[in-house]
Amino acid sequence: MILAPAGRSSRGLCCGSAADVQANIAAEAGVEIPKECFGCGVRLQSLDPDKPGYFQISKKALEELRQQQAQEDAEVLADSETEGVLKAEGCEAQEDAAVEGVLKVEADLSVDGKGGRMVKAALPAADSGDSEELSKVLMGTDPKADKGPSVEDLFNAFDEGLENWGLASPGSEERDAMDYAKLMDKIREDEAEAVVEEGVSSGLRVLCTRCYSLINYGKVKSEAGEAQLPEFDLGKRVGRKIQLQKGRRAIVLCVVDLVDFDGSLPREAIRSLLPVGADEAPMGFRLILVASKVDLLPKVASSRRLQDWVRMRARQGGFPPLASVHLVSSTQQSGVRPLLLDVVRSAGVRGDVWVVGAQNSGKSSLINALRKASRARDRRSLTTAALPGTTLGLVEVKGLPLPEKCRVYDTPGVCHRHQLSAKLPFEEVRMLLPRRRLRPRTYRVGTGHTLLVGGVARLDVLACPSSTLYITLWASDEVTCHMGKTESAEERRAAHGGDRLRPPIGGEGEGEAAREVRLEPCVVELEGSSWKASSEDVHIAGLGWIGVGLVGTAKFRVWAPPGVAVTTRRALMPDYATKFEKPGFSGVAEKGGKEKKQKNKKRT
């Protein structure tokens, strides 16, 4: 049962009179209060609604939980009583079967094979003095004795009776071996299932108000609390544990957004995990790179080409040697099972798996996908949202099919100030994150032309080896563009920013400052080798990239907000769009367009 905030929440241990009241309410209900939110890992508190980790206990919810627990206890008691009765009945039935088996054996031993004549089945004791006569009877040498069943017949009947009784029989060892093998297989399945189900009944689950609001409403409850989010030092909290722990394997699962690879590649975070003098000493952990959101790229992108490109960019970014690279789609479960098998093999019997990545790189979504692929019955999922920094503390992940002594931790997303998402409000960040497969927008432009990417970036063509060249924008379809002359580009951006050029978002409730985004220029030179495909990319961290197709050298001026990283690289997607864009606005939905189409249909 999940206790959620604002009338459905639960508990947390903190100091102060308000917390004491909450703790007393929970104690009266017999509920154990966890210390951290299971959605984001932040420490729970019930004193200040504007601070992270706030929750509120509902007496009604606790009463429902108490009734539920009482009902479960009653069911367990009833099941135990029923099990005791069945067990007693089973013992009686077994005793009856044993008696019937003995009687049958005695009957088999006492019936003459010729039918009708009975002999004494109860043999005298050895010290009765009749051993000689008994031997004569059994061996068939006593002339006084009537001819009865032979010794061989007696022992065959005895064996047959035991076989029917189930105590011994020819071939029973083979059947026992088969049953034992099946039993061991079942035990292994039960052990694996027990690992998967670990944590299902681990107590009450608590969501802080921030997680509850993000899950149900897609926004934060308190804007003031966002400025007070706790910082997480990955090097101290994770790096020290990796280097100090002995006898345990360490696996770092580095998650990178393939759509924003350069912006989400956590170079400094991975370096902080390395020991001092890492050039000479071993790393101390196995590094697995996971390129997420592969489903957002066009289907023409082959896995082999993408893996080679990812390894090349990771090596150029100063990453340590990679153990393996996986291309994963958490939404479509693509590539999740091979990754899960790799993690299980790498962790061994005693291992710690640390999931590391930048904010909004898809860490929590990947963990939920891994749990889904392992068919975990525990339905608890980590909080996921477009808001950067959803996970705030270390969250131990349950439900993965790993050995009992292995642990998996989700770490807070590394904040990259060089990403555009760190410069914009939440609603505009959501526009930058693609929700559908990327569609290329290709333009044929010449010197003196400018491509406006929303109101947050622009690309000026300063020089090109021919009269024109080809540029292809790869970004979210919610980002609108304009291609036109450079001389009037800034006036156009100021006039249409927040309206036809989005983001930023304009309209009611938004001030003029929110519509205007200050940009700073930087000059880049690119050298291409083909007119038929993009050779190089200009990447703007947190926004997307622009592929350039040409033969020769071209010069560009790239405008982006201050602090946003602009890099050049080998083209990730060299493909052009099948249909080129025309000068002017693109990706802009005209007002009333749907209504106009419906009216035109009615008229025709």
Side-chain angles (χ1 to χ4, degrees):
M1 180 178 179
I2 300 177
L3 291 187
R8 295 171 143 194
S9 317
S10 49
R11 52 279 164 215
L13 292 177
C14 38
C15 301
S17 58
D20 294 338
V21 174
Q22 306 288 339
N24 291 335
I25 295 174
E28 291 176 0
V31 177
E32 182 181 357
I33 303 177
K35 298 181 180 180
E36 296 174 348
C37 169
F38 81 87
C40 66
V42 71
R43 189 174 183 85
L44 295 171
Q45 58 89 17
S46 58
L47 295 177
D48 192 347
D50 293 330
K51 289 185 178 180
Y54 178 74
F55 71 100
Q56 187 178 11
I57 293 180
S58 168
K59 292 184 178 180
K60 180 179 178 182
L62 289 175
E63 181 63 27
E64 293 177 357
L65 178 64
R66 182 161 49 187
Q67 295 177 0
Q68 179 181 350
Q69 290 178 343
Q71 183 178 358
E72 292 177 356
D73 293 341
E75 292 176 356
V76 171
L77 181 60
D79 293 341
S80 62
E81 293 177 353
T82 304
E83 183 179 357
V85 173
L86 294 176
K87 186 175 181 180
E89 293 178 353
C91 292
E92 294 178 0
Q94 186 176 3
E95 292 176 0
D96 294 341
V99 173
E100 292 178 0
V102 172
L103 293 177
K104 184 177 181 183
V105 171
E106 291 181 354
D108 292 337
L109 291 174
S110 60
V111 176
D112 186 358
K114 297 181 180 179
R117 183 164 179 83
M118 306 294 295
V119 296
K120 190 174 181 180
L123 301 180
D127 57 352
S128 62
D130 298 332
S131 58
E132 184 177 353
E133 295 181 1
L134 176 62
S135 300
K136 292 180 180 180
V137 171
L138 291 178
M139 298 301 295
T141 59
D142 189 1
K144 299 180 180 180
D146 295 333
K147 189 174 182 181
S150 64
V151 176
E152 184 178 359
D153 293 336
L154 291 175
F155 280 101
N156 288 340
F158 186 74
D159 288 341
E160 183 180 357
L162 289 179
E163 180 181 359
N164 294 334
W165 190 24
L167 294 179
S169 64
S172 63
E173 293 183 359
E174 291 93 3
R175 287 198 295 271
D176 289 343
M178 294 174 59
D179 294 340
Y180 179 78
K182 293 180 180 179
L183 178 62
M184 293 305 298
D185 291 341
K186 183 64 171 61
I187 290 175
R188 293 188 189 98
E189 293 177 1
D190 292 342
E191 289 176 350
E193 187 174 359
V195 173
V196 170
E197 293 182 356
E198 183 181 359
V200 173
S201 58
S202 58
L204 202 60
R205 295 168 285 175
V206 184
L207 280 177
C208 65
T209 55
R210 182 175 183 269
C211 286
Y212 184 80
S213 181
L214 284 172
I215 292 173
N216 293 277
Y217 307 110
K219 60 181 181 180
V220 295
K221 186 175 181 62
S222 174
E223 294 290 346
E226 295 302 300
Q228 305 180 46
L229 296 180
E231 295 184 359
F232 186 84
D233 192 329
L234 191 69
K236 291 183 178 179
R237 296 288 300 277
V238 178
R240 286 175 59 85
K241 289 185 178 181
I242 291 177
Q243 304 304 328
L244 293 177
Q245 286 184 349
K246 304 298 181 182
R248 298 185 64 87
R249 294 185 182 182
I251 298 90
V252 175
L253 215 62
C254 181
V255 184
V256 183
D257 183 357
L258 192 55
V259 176
D260 185 29
F261 191 90
D262 289 6
S264 62
L265 191 66
R267 302 174 180 85
E268 297 299 328
I270 296 299
R271 291 194 188 103
S272 68
L273 302 179
L274 299 175
V276 179
D279 296 337
E280 301 177 358
M283 291 195 305
F285 59 87
R286 178 183 175 93
L287 182 59
I288 299 176
L289 184 61
V290 181
S292 64
K293 306 180 183 180
V294 69
D295 58 298
L296 296 178
L297 295 182
K299 295 182 180 180
V300 295
S302 65
S303 299
R304 182 65 180 176
R305 187 179 77 180
L306 291 177
Q307 283 204 3
D308 292 343
W309 188 92
V310 167
R311 288 183 179 275
M312 180 266 298
R313 288 304 293 169
R315 185 171 58 253
Q316 292 176 350
F319 255 45
L322 301 177
S324 58
V325 173
H326 292 269
L327 305 176
V328 171
S329 169
S330 301
T331 56
Q332 298 183 0
Q333 292 291 113
S334 172
V336 176
R337 288 192 177 184
L339 172 62
L340 182 60
L341 292 176
D342 191 6
V343 171
V344 171
R345 295 192 188 102
S346 301
V349 180
R350 295 168 57 90
D352 296 328
V353 181
W354 306 90
V355 186
V356 178
Q359 295 175 350
N360 277 343
S361 61
K363 295 186 294 78
S364 299
S365 298
L366 175 64
I367 292 175
N368 293 336
L370 289 172
R371 297 177 70 254
K372 183 178 180 181
S374 61
R375 299 180 180 178
R377 297 188 180 183
D378 185 3
R379 298 302 182 186
R380 293 180 291 180
S381 298
L382 303 179
T383 303
T384 58
L387 180 69
T390 305
T391 305
L392 302 177
L394 278 179
V395 180
E396 185 174 358
V397 180
K398 302 288 186 179
L400 295 180
L402 293 170
E404 184 180 358
K405 295 183 180 181
C406 290
R407 295 168 297 193
V408 181
Y409 296 96
D410 184 20
T411 62
V414 180
C415 180
H416 285 174
R417 299 296 179 186
H418 59 267
Q419 286 182 299
L420 183 59
S421 56
K423 313 293 182 182
L424 301 178
F426 174 54
E427 293 299 328
E428 296 177 0
V429 171
R430 294 182 62 182
M431 299 180 65
L432 300 179
L433 299 178
R435 304 179 189 178
R436 292 165 288 276
R437 195 179 299 273
L438 293 181
R439 182 181 66 86
R441 287 175 265 184
T442 303
Y443 301 84
R444 184 175 181 177
V445 298
T447 304
H449 286 76
T450 293
L451 174 65
L452 291 174
V453 185
V456 295
R458 57 180 273 196
L459 177 75
D460 302 339
V461 182
L462 302 181
C464 59
S466 181
S467 59
T468 58
L469 51 78
Y470 302 96
I471 59 176
T472 304
L473 174 66
W474 297 87
S476 170
D477 55 5
E478 295 188 42
V479 177
T480 58
C481 304
H482 181 275
M483 169 59 67
K485 294 288 186 179
T486 302
E487 55 190 17
S488 57
E490 190 58 31
E491 291 79 2
R492 192 178 301 110
R493 187 178 75 90
H496 298 284
D499 182 16
R500 305 187 73 182
L501 292 174
R502 305 179 71 185
I505 299 176
E508 297 180 1
E510 298 286 342
E512 292 296 327
R515 297 187 183 183
E516 297 180 2
V517 179
R518 187 169 67 90
L519 305 180
E520 290 184 351
C522 66
V523 177
V524 298
E525 290 188 2
L526 297 178
E527 184 174 354
S529 58
S530 174
W531 292 108
K532 297 182 179 180
S534 298
S535 304
E536 297 290 321
D537 288 342
V538 177
H539 180 267
I540 302 175
L543 175 61
W545 71 93
I546 302 172
V548 181
L550 77 162
V551 175
T553 303
K555 182 181 291 187
F556 303 90
R557 182 185 293 115
V558 184
W559 299 74
V564 174
V566 177
T567 57
T568 59
R569 65 191 189 188
R570 196 182 77 185
L572 171 61
M573 293 297 303
D575 309 271
Y576 293 160
T578 55
K579 184 179 180 180
F580 288 7
E581 301 287 340
K582 298 179 180 179
F585 291 97
S586 63
V588 181
E590 295 185 1
K591 296 181 180 180
K594 211 179 263 188
E595 297 175 359
K596 289 181 180 179
K597 289 182 180 179
Q598 292 177 356
K599 289 181 180 180
N600 292 334
K601 286 183 180 180
K602 290 180 180 179
R603 289 176 183 176
T604 56

